[in-house]
Amino acid sequence: LNAVCELLDNYLYSIKAMREKHVIMMQLGNALRHRVLGEGVKEAVGVLARAIPVSRLVIVYRAEEGASRTLHIQMFEGAELKVDTLSKEDESYSTLQMLGRDYLAGSGTELLNELGVQDAQEEVLINGITKSVVVGKVVVTAGTKTFNTQDRELLAAFAGFIRQRIVDFSKEWRALAYSFRPADVARLLQNDDYEKKYLAPREENVAILYVDIAG
């Protein structure tokens, strides 16, 4: 009877764990549907931090492949955003972005040292099959000593959602970059209704002044 009860208990627990995992993955997917990437990532990290013991989480990615100036870094402590190079223009972030470029290229881990991230689990975000391109990396440290099997599965799922969202974000960025400077593209993408708010055709009364300047 004890053996049967133990088997039944394990079976019911596995069903419960699978259900919980499914719910969390649905929440991650829903969070990252937010039109503004930064807001979606914050919501998704909040979901992840409630599910597993996240101490620090770093996301490094490029908005344009090969362009170091559009490389962005976000660092969270638990669910709290501490570093965000996308939503805030700050010259002090230029060093971090240079270190991030080297980190994505696999030529150094100084970025993690600068952010105080050690003994972390890394997920590489790769786009494409025949021509694979590293679009970003997700690095997570555990609040406990290590992550268990289910934690690692959720981290892998989180990285998969983030990878797809970054790919979509990059397509949107490139489309806007044909007409606007990178700084302007970044500002536009901070608004979920930027097309209607800034880019939709509208009628205005305007004046145009032509002037010749002597000398």
Side-chain angles (χ1 to χ4, degrees):
L1 181 60
N2 288 336
V4 171
C5 289
E6 184 174 353
L7 287 173
L8 181 60
D9 183 62
N10 290 338
Y11 177 71
L12 294 175
Y13 178 79
S14 66
I15 293 176
K16 175 178 179 291
M18 290 177 63
R19 173 60 180 166
E20 290 178 348
K21 179 181 175 182
H22 175 72
V23 170
I24 293 168
M25 290 180 67
M26 291 292 291
Q27 291 174 344
L28 290 173
N30 289 334
L32 287 168
R33 287 192 179 94
H34 199 292
R35 183 69 184 275
V36 178
L37 175 62
E39 295 300 318
V41 170
K42 282 193 287 186
E43 292 180 19
V45 171
V47 171
L48 189 69
R50 290 191 294 271
I52 67 175
V54 173
S55 175
R56 287 193 176 186
L57 185 148
V58 178
I59 303 174
V60 185
Y61 60 94
R62 286 192 182 97
E64 290 183 280
E65 296 173 2
S68 59
R69 64 182 178 178
T70 59
L71 182 139
H72 299 296
I73 301 166
Q74 290 180 302
M75 187 190 78
F76 296 82
E77 290 184 0
E80 186 177 356
L81 182 61
K82 293 295 187 179
V83 174
D84 186 5
T85 64
L86 178 61
S87 62
K88 181 180 179 182
E89 295 185 20
D90 193 328
E91 290 297 326
S92 64
Y93 285 151
S94 59
T95 301
L96 278 182
Q97 289 173 314
M98 291 178 59
L99 296 177
R101 179 193 59 200
D102 294 338
Y103 176 59
L104 280 189
S107 58
T109 59
E110 287 81 3
L111 173 69
L112 301 184
N113 297 332
E114 184 72 19
L115 296 174
V117 177
Q118 298 177 343
D119 301 323
Q121 177 164 329
E122 178 185 86
E123 296 283 346
V124 181
L125 312 179
I126 299 176
N127 183 39
I129 298 176
T130 57
K131 185 180 178 181
S132 299
V133 177
V134 176
V135 296
K137 292 182 179 180
V138 175
V139 184
V140 190
T141 61
T144 55
K145 290 184 178 180
T146 186
F147 293 114
N148 61 34
T149 301
Q150 181 167 330
D151 293 343
R152 289 194 293 271
E153 290 177 353
L154 287 173
L155 282 174
F158 173 81
F161 282 121
I162 291 289
R163 181 198 63 80
Q164 186 56 57
R165 185 63 182 86
I166 288 173
V167 169
D168 292 342
F169 175 79
S170 297
K171 292 178 182 177
E172 193 172 13
W173 181 289
R174 286 195 297 270
L176 290 170
Y178 285 118
S179 305
F180 302 99
R181 300 176 307 157
D184 296 327
V185 174
R187 281 193 289 269
L188 285 173
L189 292 177
Q190 295 305 306
N191 296 271
D192 58 357
D193 62 343
Y194 72 85
E195 292 172 327
K196 179 179 179 181
K197 189 174 182 180
Y198 298 113
L199 305 183
R202 61 185 184 271
E203 293 184 357
E204 296 285 350
N205 292 321
V206 299
I208 300 176
L209 175 65
Y210 295 91
V211 179
D212 286 333
I213 300 177

